Amino acid sequence: MRPFLIALGLALTFQPASAREQVDVTLVLAVDVSRSMSTRELEIQRDGYAAALAHPDVIRAIGQGAYGRIAVTMFEWAGRGSVRQVFDWTLLESSADAQALSEQVRQSQPVPQRRTSISGAIEHALTRLKASPWEGFRKVIDISGDGPNNQGSPVLEARAKALGQRVVINGLPLMTSDGPGGGFNIDDLDAYYTNCVIAGPGSFLVPVTQWDQFPEAIRRKLILEIGGLVPEQPVVRLAQAFDFGSPRASSEPYDCLVGEKIWEQRRWIFDEP
């Protein structure tokens, strides 16, 4: 056999597997369903995500990307290990795709669970990103929550893992006061998310103080994440870290273990007699 034919055969034999299809962003929606939220709040949250996914402005943002498509998955979370998948990785590149996914979300029934493990949610989201069949030019975790981390590893450790894997974390702190478990929440949840949760280039959060703000907040957040845009203050609050290095030190240190400390002070409420 001629040498060049042998070389060609070897090249074909050892050709690496085809790379995953590229998308503009692989996006994980991590949705808080802890019992500190009422049934009504869980329904508003579910319907807000369903409406946002199919909104014309969101579809337009997807179409304006370099690839014109994104991949998204969604799960509910509460305490450590309390995770329920709402939908698996799904490719969105048309209005029909988005409408079908929106209806799937709308038909889901949130299942409330005990405790709040933001660190567990971040770690699960990182696992989901590794399992994506698509390769995102950007990798983003979008995490909502109505209280600080009070179970699992410290949230700073989970955030460091995300930064090490070049993953951006954006936040949607739910700063409402009509849920049944407010005793374990904090008044400055937006500051907690800024200092302890969100990180990466252009990372941001959108605080929600009234539930009627939620549909617009999640729609705006999705548009920014899909487009890789850096929002302007004061509409949203930017993270203090804009790169994948160590987060910048705040002029006033923030206690990122505040949730764990509140739990230790008040856990007797749930202790057996």
Side-chain angles (χ1 to χ4, degrees):
M1 184 179 293
R2 295 180 180 179
F4 81 89
L5 291 178
I6 295 175
L8 177 60
L10 289 173
L12 292 174
T13 300
F14 295 104
Q15 187 176 21
S18 59
R20 292 182 293 180
E21 183 180 0
Q22 294 285 321
V23 294
D24 291 300
V25 59
T26 43
L27 175 62
V28 180
L29 302 176
V31 183
D32 182 11
V33 292
S34 57
R35 289 183 179 175
S36 55
M37 297 171 64
S38 67
T39 300
R40 172 179 170 272
E41 290 172 335
L42 292 174
E43 291 174 350
I44 292 173
Q45 184 173 236
R46 176 200 62 197
D47 293 344
Y49 276 101
L53 285 167
H55 195 277
D57 291 345
V58 172
I59 306 305
R60 189 176 302 112
I62 293 173
Q64 291 174 345
Y67 297 101
R69 55 184 180 267
I70 69 168
V72 60
T73 186
M74 181 177 184
F75 68 85
E76 298 172 346
W77 64 275
R80 182 182 56 210
S82 299
V83 171
R84 189 181 78 92
Q85 183 172 287
V86 179
F87 60 83
D88 202 353
W89 283 108
T90 303
L91 186 68
L92 293 186
E93 55 184 343
S94 70
S95 178
D97 296 336
Q99 290 291 344
L101 193 58
S102 172
E103 185 59 28
Q104 186 175 342
V105 174
R106 203 176 296 278
Q107 294 299 321
S108 68
Q109 295 297 322
V111 180
Q113 300 289 337
R114 284 186 59 185
R115 304 292 293 272
T116 300
S117 182
I118 298 175
S119 58
I122 293 173
E123 290 165 356
H124 183 74
L126 292 174
T127 301
R128 299 299 298 131
L129 283 167
K130 289 182 180 178
S132 170
W134 292 278
E135 180 66 28
F137 179 73
R138 290 175 290 108
K139 297 175 176 63
V140 178
I141 298 171
D142 178 327
I143 187 163
S144 72
D146 72 341
N149 191 74
N150 63 32
Q151 191 181 47
S153 61
V155 69
L156 290 182
E157 291 184 8
R159 183 175 73 169
K161 290 180 183 178
L163 286 169
Q165 297 177 34
R166 305 186 69 80
V167 174
V168 171
I169 305 174
N170 295 325
L172 190 73
L174 308 175
M175 303 175 64
T176 58
S177 57
D178 50 349
F184 292 91
N185 294 343
I186 55 177
D187 293 334
D188 62 342
L189 188 63
D190 53 347
Y192 177 86
Y193 265 70
T194 298
N195 289 279
C196 310
V197 180
I198 64 176
S203 53
F204 65 93
L205 60 86
V206 182
V208 173
T209 57
Q210 300 292 333
W211 276 104
D212 58 4
Q213 301 170 350
F214 187 84
E216 180 182 355
I218 189 58
R219 180 171 67 249
R220 180 177 300 178
K221 195 161 183 286
L222 285 176
I223 292 170
L224 291 169
E225 288 166 336
I226 292 167
L229 304 174
V230 177
E232 297 179 358
Q233 297 186 29
V235 175
V236 290
R237 188 176 310 224
L238 299 178
Q240 294 184 14
F242 293 93
D243 55 38
F244 286 115
S246 300
R248 297 176 184 174
S250 173
S251 57
E252 296 183 8
Y254 191 94
D255 184 4
C256 292
L257 293 174
V258 60
E260 287 85 348
K261 292 177 180 178
I262 292 175
W263 173 259
E264 287 302 318
Q265 292 170 357
R266 302 178 182 179
R267 63 182 302 173
W268 58 268
I269 297 174
F270 297 102
D271 287 345
E272 294 292 335

